[in-house]
Structures are given as structure tokens and as C-alpha cells.
């Protein structure tokens, strides 16, 4: 266990988050090292503890009803409660209650804290400056997008390196919003977007892969790969990552 400004960070919490991260990496075949996983999980727990202390000082909290409402929204998007339970079990080995406590509640707390802070211009200016410095590190290769998202992002997908998965290009406006969608469509593979300011906060995006291009690069190229690539090219799907500062 450890203390962050008198907030106890328990070893049991560390083990649960580490297990969820490892499970997600196995489910998605993401490469990772044990040392990097340990560092990411501890960084996340310490950040969560710091945010909780800061929010308490501002009189900000997240009611269980708000967490439940968020989970209901996720279930609706996925096609029902059973679909949500299966997705959380398959991807993270967590049940909805654990996911709500460990992922949704910290995310909602950050959102509320940012809403209060954004009313102060000096706070927003500092956040923009920090996002630009982080982008410089990403572009120079000093830090990877996944590590930056895990360590600094306030997004709900931060714990999985900001990975948004594969998104059809014709759905980008609905998923990201028109401003971000326009920027993402113009991004090259592996490129990091300019710092974007939106109603959700300050954002950075990266295009990880466009499926058709990845398939066509395979050697030897099989007929079924070509057929699939052509279908995907028609659908224009791409893999994206997002970082919310």
C-alpha cells in the first residue's frame, strides 16, 4: 500500500487493475512488458488518488446514480445488459460494478473537475500549454501514444492506452464530433494530430492503422486477404487512439 496526500492506494487495487490490463492485452494481442504494465497501473492509481483529493477539496463527488446511468448508456450502445457484461468480461475480466468503480467513476470525477477548472482561463491556458508539450514529446518519439494516454489522459479509454478500436470512416462525425473527424481523416498513419479544443476537453488523436493498407502489405498476399481488403477499403475503417488532457 501507499499514501498519496493521505489517500490510501491499496495493493489489492493494484492487483485488480494490473489483472484487467493484462487481460485486455491478451484479448487484443497488444504487446507489453511486465515492467511497463506495473508502471502504468501504479501511475494510474496515484493519478486517480490525486484527482480524488483535488475534487474533494472543491466539494466535487460522483454519485452512484451517475455511474449507473453511464453504465446503462454503455449497455444500450452495446445492445443490452448481457452484451455489456460479456464485453467487460471478455476485454477486462471485470463485472459492471468493478468497471463502474475502477473506470467510470474516476472518469466522471475528472469530467466534473475539468468543468469547474475550465471556467478559469489560467487553468485552460496551462492545460493547452501542457498538451502542446506532450505533443512535442509524442512527435519526437520521446514517449509513445499508449504510454502518454495511460499516464496523462483523463479519458475513459486511458487505461488501454487510449485505444478506440476500429471506427468506420463514415461514422467518425458521430463518434468524434465534426471537428475531430475532419482532422483524423487527414492524418497519416502514426501521425499525431494538433492539439484540439472541444467541449469534451483538450484532445490529441493518432491513427494507428487503416485495415485495408495493413492487409495489402502482407506477404504473400492471398486472394481472401485482397477480397477482405477491398471490402474494408469500401467501408473505410481505421484504428484510432485518443488522449484527453
Amino acid at each position: 500500500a501507499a499514501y498519496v496526500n493521505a489517500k490510501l492506494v491499496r495493493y489489492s487495487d493494484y492487483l485488480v487493475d494490473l489483472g484487467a490490463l493484462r487481460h485486455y492485452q491478451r484479448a487484443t494481442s497488444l504487446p507489453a512488458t511486465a515492467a511497463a504494465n506495473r508502471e502504468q497501473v501504479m501511475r494510474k492509481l496515484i493519478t486517480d488518488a490525486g484527482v480524488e483529493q483535488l475534487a474533494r477539496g472543491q466539494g466535487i463527488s460522483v454519485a452512484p446514480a451517475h455511474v449507473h446511468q453511464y453504465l446503462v448508456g454503455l449497455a444500450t450502445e452495446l445492445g443490452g445488459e448481457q452484451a455489456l457484461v460479456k464485453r467487460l468480461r471478455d476485454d477486462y475480466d471485470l463485472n459492471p460494478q468493478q468497471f463502474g468503480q475502477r473506470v467510470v467513476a474516476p472518469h466522471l470525477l475528472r469530467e466534473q473537475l475539468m468543468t469547474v477548472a475550465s471556467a478559469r482561463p489560467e487553468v485552460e491556458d496551462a492545460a493547452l500549454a501542457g498538451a502542446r508539450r506532450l505533443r512535442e514529446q509524442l512527435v519526437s518519439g520521446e514517449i509513445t501514444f499508449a504510454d502518454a494516454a495511460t499516464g496523462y489522459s483523463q479519458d475513459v479509454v486511458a487505461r488501454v492506452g487510449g485505444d478506440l478500436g476500429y471506427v468506420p470512416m463514415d461514422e467518425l462525425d458521430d463518434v468524434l464530433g465534426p471537428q475531430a473527424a475532419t482532422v483524423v481523416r487527414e492524418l497519416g498513419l502514426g501521425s499525431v494530430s494538433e492539439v484540439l479544443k472541444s467541449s469534451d476537453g483538450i484532445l490529441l488523436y493518432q491513427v494507428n492503422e487503416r485495415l485495408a493498407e495493413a492487409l495489402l502489405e502482407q506477404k504473400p498476399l492471398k486472394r481472401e486477404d485482397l477480397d477482405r481488403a477491398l471490402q474494408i477499403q469500401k467501408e473505410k475503417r481505421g484504428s484510432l487512439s485518443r488522449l484527453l488532457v
Side-chain angles (χ1 to χ4, degrees):
Y3 283 90
V4 179
N5 294 333
K7 166 67 178 179
L8 179 65
V9 178
R10 293 182 174 84
Y11 183 61
S12 59
D13 294 333
Y14 165 79
L15 291 177
V16 171
D17 279 6
L18 183 62
L21 179 59
R22 287 173 173 168
H23 192 89
Y24 179 83
Q25 288 165 343
R26 288 194 297 269
T28 57
S29 300
L30 285 177
T33 65
N37 282 345
R38 290 193 294 268
E39 181 181 349
Q40 288 180 16
V41 170
M42 280 307 300
R43 191 187 301 158
K44 184 252 183 196
L45 289 171
I46 291 170
T47 301
D48 284 351
V51 168
E52 186 176 333
Q53 289 290 310
L54 185 59
R56 184 176 293 117
Q58 297 290 327
I60 299 171
S61 62
V62 174
H66 292 158
V67 176
H68 175 71
Q69 184 178 10
Y70 191 98
L71 290 172
V72 168
L74 284 180
T76 301
E77 290 180 12
L78 293 172
E81 184 177 353
Q82 291 305 312
L84 173 64
V85 170
K86 183 179 187 304
R87 173 66 67 84
L88 296 181
R89 183 181 64 246
D90 291 348
D91 285 0
Y92 307 107
D93 196 28
L94 297 175
N95 60 42
Q97 182 179 1
Q98 291 172 315
F99 187 77
Q101 177 187 358
R102 311 204 67 79
V103 179
V104 177
H107 169 67
L108 294 178
L109 192 62
R110 286 184 174 89
E111 280 192 337
Q112 292 189 38
L113 196 58
M114 284 299 295
T115 298
V116 172
S118 63
R120 300 167 56 188
E122 65 274 17
V123 174
E124 182 175 309
D125 290 345
L128 283 168
R132 293 186 182 109
R133 287 194 297 271
L134 184 58
R135 184 183 183 276
E136 290 175 359
Q137 292 178 295
L138 290 166
V139 171
S140 69
E142 184 177 341
I143 187 172
T144 67
F145 201 98
D147 285 346
T150 304
Y152 304 107
S153 180
Q154 302 168 32
D155 204 341
V156 70
V157 292
R159 68 181 295 151
V160 293
D163 184 16
L164 292 173
Y166 289 96
V167 181
M169 297 297 282
D170 59 359
E171 294 180 13
L172 282 177
D173 282 41
D174 294 332
V175 176
L176 308 181
Q179 179 197 18
T182 299
V183 171
V184 166
R185 287 191 183 98
E186 300 299 322
L187 277 180
L189 291 182
S191 299
V192 179
S193 72
E194 296 294 333
V195 174
L196 302 177
K197 180 181 171 184
S198 74
S199 58
D200 294 325
I202 300 168
L203 299 164
L204 290 167
Y205 285 93
Q206 183 178 60
V207 175
N208 305 317
E209 182 183 40
R210 289 190 172 92
L211 274 176
E213 295 175 20
L215 281 170
L216 291 173
E217 289 173 358
Q218 293 183 11
K219 304 295 181 186
L221 183 64
K222 300 177 182 178
R223 175 55 188 267
E224 55 264 32
D225 292 332
L226 178 60
D227 291 342
R228 184 177 173 218
L230 291 173
Q231 178 62 30
I232 291 170
Q233 185 65 29
K234 183 179 178 181
E235 297 172 3
K236 298 184 183 300
R237 282 185 283 167
S239 171
L240 306 175
S241 291
R242 180 177 64 198
L243 194 155
L244 174 63
V245 179

